[in-house]
Amino acid sequence: MPPAPSLATPAHLAPHSSAATPPRTRRGGWDDRALLAIPAAALLLALWDASSLDLLLAQWFGTAGGFPLRESWWLSKLLHDDVRRLAWAAATALVVGVWLPWGPLRRIDLPRRAALAVALLLSLALVAAGKALSHTSCPWDLAEFGGVARYVSHWQWGLRDGGSGHCFPGGHASAGFAFLSLYFAWRDDAPRLARWCLAAALLGGLALGAVQQLRGAHFLSHNLWTAWLCWTTCWAVDAVRGRWFGAGAARAALSSPGRS
């Protein structure tokens, strides 16, 4: 008896199935832990602000005559000026990588590369804008450390402390925290790489913030709020990208009539 004819559809005629390459699940809503971290961190930072521990911590590094390490070559030249130039070089390389992807940038699509660059540059811009508008002076300007200003909470907008101002949030720390955008770029496609980027950005931002604390340029809260602002900015940019170019757009492309 001859074998029964196969009813299977030939492979070359079979419709493309999204099951073989499932579209990436777009993160969003209350199931995104990155979003939940925003209000949780804001609450913790508000409690720190209310504790008045900023001034106490600054007294570990400063005296009535000022901050001995303010003009240290290691801190002011190497770990401030030179590291800032290095951070801008890295940012420039990532921006160029939007159109000419290199290394791990090849593992993500154009919208994610663009979101990475936008989030990084927007984080830096928002921190710089905050500093430009702030009336909060640096610790080295305070009377407790040989200056003329008085301590005023950075949340008392419009109330001047008698110093030069423009010291909140922490600008140098943003040279590390702005690279949190790398975590959001790779957290779906390369989770392990994303976690390494997350750790590097957090450690880098904290280290650069510590440099300025030792010099008397910032309180701890200034740098922590910089981290919060950068994280929030990076999440928001990634959320917009996901809304416009995420899984919904991928599913629409897969189900479009002209797809073959």
Side-chain angles (χ1 to χ4, degrees), residues 7 41 51 59 81 86 109-110 155-156 160 162 193 240 253:
L7 298 179
S51 70
Q59 290 171 344
D81 297 345
L86 182 62
D109 56 21
L110 176 60
W155 296 120
Q156 293 185 265
R160 296 182 179 274
L193 175 60
V240 171

Side-chain angles (χ1 to χ4, degrees), residues 24-75:
R24 184 185 299 112
T25 300
R26 182 174 62 83
R27 299 173 188 253
W30 295 108
D31 60 337
D32 188 352
R33 287 178 292 180
L35 170 59
L36 295 178
I38 295 174
L43 176 59
L44 292 175
L45 289 177
L47 292 174
W48 174 268
D49 285 346
S51 70
S52 300
L53 290 174
D54 265 342
L55 195 57
L56 179 63
L57 185 60
Q59 290 171 344
W60 290 6
F61 314 117
T63 67
F67 287 81
L69 296 175
R70 177 174 178 174
E71 302 300 331
S72 164
W73 182 86
W74 289 98
L75 299 180

Side-chain angles (χ1 to χ4, degrees), residues 189-210:
D189 295 275
R192 184 177 180 184
L193 175 60
R195 288 191 292 270
W196 278 106
C197 291
L198 174 63
L202 290 176
L203 290 175
L206 290 172
L208 297 180

Side-chain angles (χ1 to χ4, degrees), residues 1-15:
M1 177 181 296
S6 173
L7 298 179
T9 304
H12 66 283
L13 296 178

